[in-house]
Amino acid sequence: MKINKVFKGIEKLFFSNIDDKQKKEELKEKLNKKIKQTKKEITNAQDSEEIYDLRAKLYILKKLLERV
Amino acid sequence: MLKRYYFQFFLLSLAFVVFFNDDYKIIIAGIAIFIVGMVFMEEGFKLFSGGMLEKTLQASTDTLPKAMGTGFVATAIMQSSSLVSIIIISFLSAELITLSGAIGVILGSNIGSTTTAWIVSSFGVKIDIAAYAMPMIIFGAALKYSKSKSYQGIGKIVLGLGFVFLGIAYMKDGFEVLQKTIDMSKYALEGYLGILVYVLLGMIATVIMQSSAASITLIITALATNQIIYINALELVIGANVGTTITAVLAALSSNSNGKRVALAHFIIKVATAFVAILFLYQLSDFTTYLALKIGIDSDDYAMQLALFHTIFNVIGVLLVSPFTGRLVKYLETLFIEVNIYALKPLYLDNVVINVPDAAIESIKKEIIHLYDSSVEAISHSMFLHRHEFIKSADIKSVVKNSKMNMKSDVNEFYTNKIKSLYGDIIHYATLSQEEMSEEDQNRIYDLKLASREIIEAVKNMRDLQKNIYYYSKSRNSYIKEEYDNLRVYIAKTIDTIERLKEHDDELDVISTIELLKESTKALDSIKNSRIDTLIRENKIDSKMATSLINDSSFAYGVTQNLIQAATILWIEDMDIRTLGVQDEDKQGI
């Protein structure tokens, strides 16, 4: 058990930056996909209330993308 | 079915006795006054918790010898072991001392009570504590209305003590008739049957007279007038020593579990002492005569000899019981455990999986969702709303506006009786499960603990809000009424949105819904809310309403944020997505 902890510590020390970057890229990709999908939904939507809600969602998704 | 009518039956029987027998009426009134006194004393001592009194009591009862010394001195000064045990029970009920400390005081008090017999045998008088009842009640009532908390506390204690004395006096008066019927010579017997009869008689006499000293005086008189023989007098003294515990038992009726435990300890110690004294009665009698001669007590001075016997057997009893105090405390702690039948029981915390990280995390999460659902139900009811009415409703505003304010719900009671113990169970289980977990899993448990704390905080915030929601719903001022309706709408919308986000499969949808919800609830932040400013400026609400509204908007904002935080932890598994939402809070904080 202790050896495992040592290995994990070494892994964190040397590879965590790479892992973090990879994770961030994946998250960005997911958010971009979601933004595209929401935009599509806005163009397809007919109800004004629905459009308003989707636009608000789009605004939040863009804000989240900025935070990544 | 029958249980439901126990209290009614009790009241009816009480009414029957009170209306048809004057003697019993006085005795029962005495008991009632006595119990009221106990309640006042307990309330008074509670006002001193955390202060000097607590520190002094803790310091004087933290070890067995110190506690015994305190008990001895207090009883010798007050001249009543019953009174010391009553005060100790109220100390315990106010959680000012520990159970072991209290038992130590009781042991010391047993020896201290022997000083009464010496005073009675030497001077033939005893201070009548009941004479102090009236002045105590007068001064206690006056002090109770003082502005100072310390004076209020002293007032309540003095008032309580006054009622206790008055109660005892009433009980004595009521029993006076019964006392006259006691003729001890009737029972003059020898052998073990005689021992038991006289021990029982001594007990009854003390219960009737509410004073072991008074019983001893009666015994001395009976002995001096040759109504009984010397050995029977000793047996009566043993009985009187047990009979004195009835006052503590009465006091324990209105106390908490610890109060009941110490009353039982008092009874056990007295009975154990009596048992030993009965077993070695003749040897103790010879030893008393021998010691009496050695210290210069005349062989015909029965009063002094009885006092000596009383001291000897009480000291022996204390010496016998004190080594087992620790065990006695452990045993007593298994008794009178208060079970909260209304408390929510954990549904998912399975001890079998506590050491299996994934299963333990899942069970904790499910339990917190259980806590969340129950809390949200209580929050909704405290706003006079039913969840099925507003969840997934297209028009929450109308639901709130048309809601009937007749629902009986107390969120404070719900917190104390129902969820506090469930929250405790979750934290306990989560902490135990963390022991063998990886760092990542430990962090998840930590987050889940935070979620449960947020839920509890939401309920606590609602506690402060509930009263004014009801109060202003009856207001003639339509503006303030509308504002409070608005607060309810925001909380209901938060609950509704969280309920809807549970259905999302994609966690990005969940986080965006949560972020939108956060944006919309910002309107509740009273400092930034210009609506209240406008209402004040235009004189639509008065200053009292304005301050209530500002405070309550803040509580409502607190409720929404607590629920949102809990939902983020519970329904977003991905740590990276979850922290996207937290970053916003950090930025605001900066």
Side-chain angles (χ1 to χ4, degrees):
Chain A
M1 280 300 278
K2 277 186 182 171
I3 289 172
N4 276 347
K5 276 189 179 173
V6 174
F7 278 133
K8 273 192 176 173
I10 295 167
E11 202 180 300
K12 246 187 175 179
L13 196 68
F14 293 101
F15 305 106
S16 63
N17 278 342
I18 303 166
D19 264 11
D20 284 351
K21 271 185 187 174
Q22 236 175 13
K23 274 183 184 175
K24 275 185 181 180
E25 285 308 315
E26 278 173 19
L27 196 56
K28 270 185 182 176
E29 209 174 294
K30 272 186 190 175
L31 277 163
N32 277 322
K33 243 185 184 176
K34 200 84 201 160
I35 288 168
K36 268 185 192 174
Q37 190 193 323
T38 314
K39 278 179 180 172
K40 251 186 195 175
E41 281 169 7
I42 291 170
T43 49
N44 293 336
Q46 287 162 348
D47 183 4
S48 62
E49 204 177 324
E50 197 188 341
I51 293 171
Y52 177 82
D53 288 346
L54 285 167
R55 277 193 179 150
K57 187 181 172 183
L58 186 66
Y59 166 76
I60 292 291
L61 285 169
K62 281 180 179 171
K63 219 174 153 184
L64 290 175
L65 185 64
E66 280 171 22
R67 286 183 198 167
V68 182
Chain B
M1 187 67 188
L2 269 173
K3 269 187 181 176
R4 207 187 286 175
Y5 300 106
Y6 274 170
F7 191 64
Q8 283 88 335
F9 179 72
F10 168 72
L11 286 179
L12 273 175
S13 326
L14 207 59
F16 182 78
V17 175
V18 166
F19 285 111
F20 292 100
N21 190 312
D22 275 349
D23 294 329
Y24 284 118
K25 184 167 78 182
I26 295 169
I27 295 166
I28 293 167
I31 294 170
I33 294 169
F34 181 92
I35 290 171
V36 169
M38 283 302 298
V39 173
F40 270 120
M41 274 171 71
E42 193 186 319
E43 280 178 9
F45 286 126
K46 270 184 185 164
L47 285 176
F48 286 103
S49 52
M52 264 303 285
L53 180 68
E54 189 170 352
K55 280 178 195 159
T56 316
L57 280 171
Q58 274 168 358
S60 56
T61 58
D62 58 355
T63 62
L64 190 64
K66 269 200 219 173
M68 282 170 66
T70 308
F72 176 80
V73 173
T75 312
I77 294 171
M78 290 190 208
Q79 282 300 301
S80 170
S81 64
S82 305
L83 196 59
V84 170
S85 57
I86 292 163
I87 294 172
I88 283 302
I89 288 169
S90 55
F91 277 160
L92 258 180
S93 293
E95 291 174 0
L96 289 172
I97 57 166
T98 60
L99 181 61
S100 55
I103 291 174
V105 175
I106 294 289
L107 285 170
S109 153
N110 277 358
I111 302 176
S113 70
T114 61
T115 57
T116 318
W118 285 106
I119 292 171
V120 171
S121 56
S122 308
F123 307 107
V125 288
K126 188 180 177 281
I127 306 154
D128 183 16
I129 51 170
Y132 298 106
M134 294 300 175
M136 282 178 125
I137 291 170
I138 294 165
F139 284 103
L143 285 168
K144 198 178 159 284
Y145 292 101
S146 162
K147 279 184 182 171
S148 152
K149 269 206 163 183
S150 304
Y151 281 134
Q152 277 179 23
I154 294 169
K156 281 189 176 179
I157 295 165
V158 172
L159 187 62
L161 217 51
F163 277 127
V164 165
F165 288 171
L166 191 68
I168 291 173
Y170 268 103
M171 282 188 256
K172 273 184 184 174
D173 285 351
F175 275 124
E176 228 166 48
V177 185
L178 291 169
Q179 186 192 342
K180 282 172 192 164
T181 62
I182 300 171
D183 177 10
M184 290 188 183
S185 60
K186 272 195 218 167
Y187 309 95
L189 289 167
E190 281 193 60
Y192 270 94
L193 185 68
I195 294 176
L196 289 177
V197 168
Y198 274 92
V199 167
L200 201 68
L201 213 63
M203 265 174 74
I204 295 167
T206 312
V207 169
I208 290 172
M209 288 180 275
Q210 285 290 303
S211 163
S212 59
S215 303
I216 289 171
T217 315
L218 192 75
I219 296 161
I220 291 168
T221 319
L223 192 61
T225 52
N226 288 324
Q227 278 191 323
I228 48 169
I229 54 170
Y230 176 63
I231 202 80
N232 289 147
L234 301 186
E235 292 149 10
L236 285 165
V237 169
I238 296 169
N241 209 43
V242 179
T244 189
T245 57
I246 192 73
T247 324
V249 172
L250 273 179
L253 287 178
S254 65
S255 74
N256 64 8
S257 307
N258 266 343
K260 290 185 178 82
R261 284 177 192 135
V262 83
L264 182 63
H266 192 198
F267 184 72
I268 290 172
I269 293 164
K270 292 279 189 185
V271 169
T273 310
F275 183 72
V276 173
I278 292 168
L279 213 62
F280 300 104
L281 182 66
Y282 296 103
Q283 288 86 344
L284 275 173
S285 168
D286 293 344
F287 181 64
T288 308
T289 317
Y290 168 75
L291 206 65
L293 281 173
K294 282 275 168 198
I295 57 173
I297 296 172
D298 289 343
S299 56
D300 57 346
D301 190 349
Y302 291 121
M304 283 285 196
Q305 282 191 33
L306 274 181
L308 183 63
F309 173 76
H310 192 220
T311 308
I312 291 169
F313 93 81
N314 265 303
V315 170
I316 290 174
V318 170
L319 290 175
L320 277 173
V321 176
S322 52
F324 303 103
T325 311
R327 281 191 189 177
L328 185 62
V329 170
K330 272 190 182 169
Y331 167 70
L332 290 168
E333 277 170 351
T334 62
L335 306 173
F336 306 112
I337 294 164
E338 282 169 2
V339 182
N340 182 0
I341 51 164
Y342 302 105
L344 280 176
K345 301 272 179 295
L347 299 177
Y348 306 99
L349 302 180
D350 190 347
N351 279 326
V352 178
V353 298
I354 197 162
N355 292 322
V356 186
D358 287 342
I361 290 172
E362 197 50 34
S363 57
I364 293 165
K365 188 183 161 185
K366 279 184 180 170
E367 201 59 63
I368 298 173
I369 293 173
H370 173 214
L371 178 76
Y372 174 87
D373 287 335
S374 310
S375 302
V376 158
E377 185 186 2
I379 289 171
S380 307
H381 288 178
S382 67
M383 299 190 294
F384 306 95
L385 296 172
H386 284 292
R387 283 177 303 169
H388 68 264
E389 287 168 348
F390 70 85
I391 287 176
K392 292 188 180 164
S393 157
D395 190 2
I396 293 180
K397 259 189 180 179
S398 305
V399 175
V400 169
K401 211 173 180 183
N402 300 323
S403 62
K404 286 177 184 163
M405 310 296 280
N406 57 0
M407 207 183 292
K408 275 185 186 171
S409 161
D410 184 349
V411 79
N412 190 32
E413 206 179 288
F414 170 82
Y415 168 72
T416 320
N417 292 338
K418 280 196 159 184
I419 59 161
K420 210 173 164 188
S421 65
L422 180 62
Y423 176 52
D425 289 337
I426 292 171
I427 296 296
H428 183 245
Y429 185 91
T431 308
L432 292 183
S433 74
Q434 264 176 317
E435 278 178 327
E436 299 293 320
M437 280 183 180
S438 66
E439 202 183 326
E440 200 180 327
D441 289 338
Q442 279 191 9
N443 287 338
R444 181 67 183 140
I445 294 284
Y446 174 73
D447 284 346
L448 288 170
K449 279 184 186 175
L450 279 182
S452 53
R453 196 185 69 188
E454 294 288 349
I455 297 165
I456 294 296
E457 288 299 319
V459 176
K460 282 185 177 176
N461 273 320
M462 205 61 216
R463 252 184 343 188
D464 300 306
L465 189 55
Q466 185 182 24
K467 211 173 99 187
N468 277 347
I469 287 181
Y470 181 76
Y471 180 74
Y472 285 114
S473 72
K474 310 275 177 200
S475 173
R476 285 183 185 174
N477 184 323
S478 61
Y479 297 103
I480 192 75
K481 205 173 163 184
E482 197 180 314
E483 287 306 312
Y484 272 89
D485 275 356
N486 210 24
L487 298 186
R488 291 159 73 205
V489 169
Y490 272 110
I491 298 173
K493 271 189 178 170
T494 305
I495 294 170
D496 172 56
T497 312
I498 292 173
E499 212 55 42
R500 286 172 199 254
L501 67 80
K502 288 182 190 173
E503 290 163 10
H504 292 311
D505 295 324
D506 191 339
E507 292 195 342
L508 281 176
D509 286 329
V510 177
I511 189 77
S512 54
T513 311
I514 284 175
E515 288 305 299
L516 271 172
L517 188 59
K518 273 187 193 171
E519 288 291 329
S520 69
T521 51
K522 273 180 188 167
L524 279 173
D525 195 348
S526 54
I527 303 298
K528 295 174 190 167
N529 190 350
S530 58
R531 277 167 68 102
I532 301 177
D533 295 346
T534 317
L535 288 171
I536 298 168
R537 254 186 246 120
E538 292 175 3
N539 271 333
K540 285 176 176 165
I541 56 172
D542 61 31
S543 57
K544 190 190 158 204
M545 288 173 181
T547 46
S548 295
L549 187 58
I550 290 170
N551 290 338
D552 290 334
S553 297
S554 166
F555 289 133
Y557 182 66
V559 173
T560 57
Q561 299 313 296
N562 294 139
L563 294 179
I564 290 170
Q565 287 302 326
T568 311
I569 298 169
L570 288 174
W571 288 288
I572 301 176
E573 290 279 342
D574 191 319
M575 181 78 172
D576 295 316
I577 297 178
R578 205 160 62 222
T579 43
L580 278 181
V582 179
Q583 278 174 9
D584 188 35
E585 295 294 313
D586 293 343
K587 274 177 194 167
Q588 276 182 1
I590 293 161

